[in-house]
């Protein structure tokens, strides 16, 4: 796949230099690109003769310009038996090329679908730089994926990619619609669902808003020297960060100007044919209230510090906290009427699988909220409820008391406390070991999500409904 890799590297270089791309469509007809796309989608599954035949059939249609998109059927992972007409393969090829070109041009303030960026980098940027913020201006797009208009999106792409056949292929996908209840549903707006291409196109579209904030609002509302001691009355600071369709601005200045910024943001959304979410006040006093961003509570606690010009100054650094409602939802996942209970839906699993399930839930929660200053205090009750529920589930499966579970599965930790450990023996292989309760619960200001982590903000809002 060296030719495909070299092509993507050249595309990335042109993107970094912001040079226009030409004749991209003909490079999509490279079989190596499709093999790479198949490997990405199937996590390295073996390429057999059936796959090669399907790829060749797709390439034949693309060369002839007769390729027909099918309505999207959701997010199922393709394999040799479910590739169907090959839409997911073609989407992945398009994603590879467009990502290589547009990623180097991505906004510094966007943290979604970016290499080495995630929820934690967005939140860390706020904690490290948004010092002294007076007002939070929050928002997002109501139904971002379904609202994006192809009549607005395609001209954005056409500004930097001069290839009519590629644009026609993208337009066909955007218009293909979805299949619901065995009926085709025509779409008039929105990005394709069921693959990474839709997310990339949505991010590309929202990059227009990033550019507006970076080139218009930030220069207009940033003035004066760096804030040290008591600021001058005409000093202003405006901060911005975005993850997916959720954004947050922090403003140091009077409320009247915060209102003007808020109005400008709404006008920008309107110009992009997007509807801004407005389920609650969009401007929040940062020193007296908190906002929820990426399922963290964000506030600016005031601490008296030092003297400046004969007056005490107020210095504030952003504080991240675990939302109380998140704690309550996770506790309800393991408790009923305030008491831990066994989870009947897990009783058919092996002991190892049961412990691994609880462990994965707990570790995911700990990892996501490691940036919260109160993570230990807030999540310790969840850890206790989780462990007790696990004990009751194992006890129910084996028809034994909880003391039996602790005797047979309990393990004391060198750092204090205990964990539930289960082992799955395998013939001629090392045993698999799962433990729940061994993971440390601590505030980690440098925490980062692993690549491909599933600790999304929506996932951590609460457990799945049983």
């Amino acid at each position: 796949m060296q030719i495909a890799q070299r092509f993507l590297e050249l595309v990335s270089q042109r993107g970094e230099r912001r040079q226009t791309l030409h004749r991209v469509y003909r490079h999509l007809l490279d079989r190596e690109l499709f093999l790479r796309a198949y490997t990405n989608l199937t996590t390295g599954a073996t390429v057999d003769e059936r796959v090669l035949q399907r790829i060749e059939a797709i390439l034949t249609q693309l060369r002839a310009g007769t390729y027909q998109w099918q309505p999207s059927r959701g997010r199922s992972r393709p394999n040799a038996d479910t590739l169907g007409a090959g839409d997911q393969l073609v989407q992945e090829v398009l994603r590879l090329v467009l990502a290589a070109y547009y990623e180097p041009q991505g906004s510094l303030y966007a943290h979604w679908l970016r290499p080495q960026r995630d929820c934690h980098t967005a939140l860390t940027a706020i904690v490290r730089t948004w010092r002294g913020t007076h007002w939070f201006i929050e928002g997002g797009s109501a139904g971002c994926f379904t609202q994006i208009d192809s009549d607005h999106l395609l001209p954005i792409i056409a500004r930097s990619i001069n290839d009519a056949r590629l644009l026609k292929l993208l337009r066909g996908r955007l218009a293909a619609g979805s299949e619901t209840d065995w009926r085709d549903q025509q779409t008039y707006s929105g990005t394709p669902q069921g693959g990474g291409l839709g997310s990339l196109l949505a991010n590309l579209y929202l990059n227009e808003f990033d550019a507006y904030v970076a080139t218009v609002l930030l220069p207009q509302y940033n003035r004066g020297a760096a804030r040290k001691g008591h600021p001058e009355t005409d000093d202003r600071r405006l901060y911005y960060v975005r993850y997916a369709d959720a954004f947050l601005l922090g403003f140091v200045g009077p409320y009247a100007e915060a209102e003007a910024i808020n109005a400008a943001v709404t006008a920008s959304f309107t110009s992009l044919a997007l509807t801004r979410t407005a389920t609650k006040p969009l401007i929040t006093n940062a020193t007296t209230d908190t906002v929820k961003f990426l399922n963290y509570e964000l506030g600016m606690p005031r601490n008296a510090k030092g003297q400046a010009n004969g007056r005490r100054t107020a210095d504030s650094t952003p504080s991240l906290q675990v939302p109380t409602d998140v704690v309550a939802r996770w506790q309800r996942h393991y408790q009923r009427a305030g008491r831990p209970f066994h989870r009947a839906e897990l009783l058919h699993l092996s002991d190892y699988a049961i412990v691994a399930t609880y462990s994965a839930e707990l570790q995911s929660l700990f990892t996501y909220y490691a940036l919260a200053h109160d993570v230990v205090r807030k999540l310790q009750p969840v850890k206790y409820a989780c462990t007790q529920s696990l004990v009751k589930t194992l006890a129910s499966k084996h028809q034994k008391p909880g003391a039996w579970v602790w005797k047979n599965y309990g393990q004391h930790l060198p750092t204090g406390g205990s964990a539930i450990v289960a082992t799955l023996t395998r013939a001629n292989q090392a045993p698999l070991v799962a433990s729940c309760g061994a993971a440390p619960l601590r505030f980690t200001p440098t925490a980062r999500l692993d690549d491909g982590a599933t600790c999304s903000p929506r996932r951590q809002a609460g457990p799945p409904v049983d």
Side-chain angles (χ1 to χ4, degrees):
M1 300 185 184
Q2 293 182 352
I3 295 177
Q5 179 62 30
R6 179 56 180 160
F7 168 66
L8 294 176
E9 289 175 354
L10 290 173
V11 169
S12 181
Q13 291 170 9
R14 292 189 71 86
E16 188 173 359
R17 295 193 291 266
R18 298 183 180 270
Q19 296 176 328
T20 302
L21 286 181
H22 301 274
R23 299 182 295 277
V24 178
Y25 188 89
R26 68 177 186 178
H27 290 285
L28 300 183
L29 307 179
D30 181 2
R31 188 172 71 167
E32 286 190 6
L33 269 178
F34 277 82
L35 291 174
R36 179 168 182 157
Y38 179 80
T39 300
N40 289 351
L41 291 171
T42 59
T43 319
T46 302
V47 177
D48 57 23
E49 188 62 29
R50 289 181 302 165
V51 175
L52 294 176
Q53 289 175 357
R54 291 187 180 186
I55 289 176
E56 191 56 42
I58 295 169
L59 291 175
T60 299
Q61 295 177 48
L62 289 173
R63 292 189 189 100
T66 59
Y67 187 83
Q68 295 293 322
W69 294 98
Q70 301 300 313
S72 173
R73 292 180 175 86
R75 297 179 178 272
S76 59
R77 183 174 290 278
N79 54 48
D81 297 317
T82 63
L83 277 173
D87 284 3
Q88 289 175 306
L89 267 178
V90 180
Q91 284 190 156
E92 178 62 11
V93 169
L94 288 169
R95 188 199 67 80
L96 285 171
V97 175
L98 294 178
Y101 182 67
Y102 284 111
E103 166 52 32
Q105 306 176 43
S107 169
L108 295 174
Y109 307 101
H111 293 258
W112 184 47
L113 300 179
R114 305 288 306 281
Q116 305 301 315
R117 293 190 174 209
D118 50 41
C119 300
H120 279 190
T121 59
L123 294 164
T124 300
I126 294 173
V127 172
R128 291 181 177 177
T129 61
W130 290 31
R131 200 176 187 88
T133 296
H134 296 162
W135 309 100
F136 290 128
I137 304 169
E138 59 183 313
S141 170
C144 170
F145 287 96
T146 58
Q147 276 195 345
I148 293 176
D149 190 343
S150 61
D151 291 336
H152 285 76
L153 174 62
L154 292 176
I156 293 173
I157 298 175
R159 290 201 305 250
S160 50
I161 299 181
N162 184 12
D163 191 325
R165 290 196 295 173
L166 177 69
L167 294 174
K168 179 182 177 181
L169 184 64
L170 285 170
R171 184 179 293 277
R173 183 64 196 97
L174 292 169
S178 61
E179 188 176 86
T180 306
D181 296 331
W182 303 101
R183 293 177 296 176
D184 291 348
Q185 305 292 323
Q186 180 67 30
T187 55
Y188 301 96
S189 63
T191 55
Q193 302 299 291
L197 178 63
S199 299
L200 185 146
L201 293 177
N203 211 29
L204 174 61
Y205 196 76
L206 291 170
N207 189 64
E208 296 293 296
F209 176 66
D210 298 336
Y212 170 75
V213 173
T215 60
V216 177
L217 294 183
L218 293 184
Q220 181 179 354
Y221 289 98
N222 275 291
R223 61 178 182 267
R227 291 173 57 82
K228 291 183 179 180
H230 194 78
E232 298 297 329
T233 57
D234 60 346
D235 284 356
R236 300 288 185 272
R237 287 291 179 272
L238 181 63
Y239 310 104
Y240 171 65
V241 70
R242 177 177 68 82
Y243 183 87
D245 61 346
F247 68 85
L248 187 68
L249 294 112
F251 181 56
V252 182
Y255 180 74
E257 293 184 21
E259 286 187 310
I261 295 170
N262 186 50
V265 167
T266 300
S268 176
F269 262 58
T270 302
S271 70
L272 291 171
L274 293 173
T275 301
R276 186 178 174 191
T277 54
T279 57
K280 56 185 177 179
L282 299 176
I283 304 177
T284 302
N285 188 322
T287 60
T288 60
D289 297 308
T290 62
V291 295
K292 184 176 286 188
F293 185 63
L294 301 184
N295 259 312
Y296 271 79
E297 280 189 355
L298 173 64
M300 304 289 294
R302 307 295 287 189
N303 298 307
K305 182 181 179 180
Q307 297 278 336
N309 299 323
R311 293 181 293 177
R312 292 185 64 83
T313 64
D315 175 73
S316 59
T317 300
S319 172
L320 296 173
Q321 301 175 10
V322 181
T324 303
D325 61 322
V326 169
V327 176
R329 279 196 292 271
W330 277 99
Q331 284 184 300
R332 287 196 298 270
H333 186 53
Y334 301 119
Q335 296 177 334
R336 285 179 181 169
R339 297 174 65 87
F341 71 103
H342 77 274
R343 293 165 64 180
E345 76 276 9
L346 301 180
L347 295 179
H348 69 285
L349 300 176
S350 67
D351 295 348
Y352 167 82
I354 293 174
V355 176
T357 298
Y358 277 91
S359 176
E361 292 176 351
L362 204 59
Q363 184 59 51
S364 174
L365 192 65
F366 289 179
T367 299
Y368 191 75
Y369 286 108
L371 296 177
H373 296 85
D374 60 352
V375 62
V376 176
R377 178 173 62 85
K378 288 284 186 65
L379 294 188
Q380 188 63 45
V382 176
K383 180 178 181 180
Y384 173 80
C386 174
T387 304
Q388 293 303 311
S389 175
L390 170 57
V391 170
K392 288 182 176 292
T393 301
L394 290 173
S396 178
K397 176 184 176 180
H398 294 282
Q399 296 297 298
K400 300 288 185 178
W404 178 89
V405 174
W406 282 109
K407 180 179 179 180
N408 289 272
Y409 298 90
Q411 186 177 98
H412 292 288
L413 303 176
T415 56
S418 57
I420 299 295
V421 180
T423 302
L424 178 65
T425 58
R426 301 182 295 172
N428 302 320
Q429 296 185 67
L432 296 175
V433 179
S435 64
C436 181
L441 178 57
R442 57 172 175 255
F443 167 57
T444 311
T446 58
R448 286 289 309 277
L449 296 178
D450 295 332
D451 291 339
T454 58
C455 306
S456 68
R458 290 184 177 91
R459 171 68 181 86
Q460 298 311 322
V465 178
D466 293 332

